[in-house]
């Protein structure tokens, strides 16, 4: 066909931080700043017997460079956060 189509890998997650930024921050051996953090996203659903149940998904996220150095001071456990980025499967 001759058309080069690029796949789209874009995700938005809105949830709550599970730890403070200072607990998740480190420098990699290369000297690059890294902020590895988790977002908890609660989901409520209705069961077959009309009862409501809640389930929590945990999403592991990584932020690198100057953004990681700056945002670590603003991340507080329990605060709501929205993240827009791309997914990279590791497990």
């Amino acid at each position: 066909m001759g058309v080069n189509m690029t796949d789209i890998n874009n995700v938005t997650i809105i949830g709550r931080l599970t730890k403070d930024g200072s607990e998740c921050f480190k420098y990699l051996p290369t000297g690059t700043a890294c902020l590895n953090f988790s977002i908890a996203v609660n989901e409520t659903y209705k069961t077959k017997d009309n009862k409501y149940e809640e389930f929590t998904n945990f999403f592991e996220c990584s932020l690198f460079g100057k953004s990681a150095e700056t945002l670590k001071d603003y991340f507080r456990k329990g605060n709501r956060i929205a993240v827009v980025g791309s997914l990279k499967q590791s497990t």
Side-chain angles (χ1 to χ4, degrees):
M1 293 195 136
V3 176
N4 185 4
M5 304 264 315
T6 301
D7 294 331
I8 298 172
N9 180 1
N10 192 356
V11 64
T12 301
I13 301 171
I14 301 173
R16 297 198 178 269
L17 292 167
T18 62
K19 292 183 179 178
D20 290 343
S22 59
E23 296 178 65
C24 309
F25 182 79
K26 66 179 181 180
Y27 285 99
L28 301 175
T30 60
T32 303
C34 180
L35 187 61
N36 290 317
F37 59 98
S38 296
I39 300 175
V41 179
N42 295 322
E43 178 182 340
T44 303
Y45 61 94
K46 197 174 190 179
T47 63
K48 291 180 182 179
D49 55 349
N50 288 329
K51 293 183 180 177
Y52 287 94
E53 303 246 345
E54 189 171 283
F55 179 79
T56 304
N57 289 291
F58 294 91
F59 297 94
E60 302 298 321
C61 303
S62 297
L63 187 61
F64 299 96
K66 188 67 175 168
S67 297
E69 289 177 322
T70 302
L71 291 176
K72 72 174 172 38
D73 296 328
Y74 295 97
F75 279 27
R76 295 286 178 261
K77 181 178 178 178
N79 282 0
R80 181 165 278 168
I81 185 171
V83 174
V84 177
S86 60
L87 293 176
K88 188 178 288 185
Q89 187 175 10
S90 61
T91 56

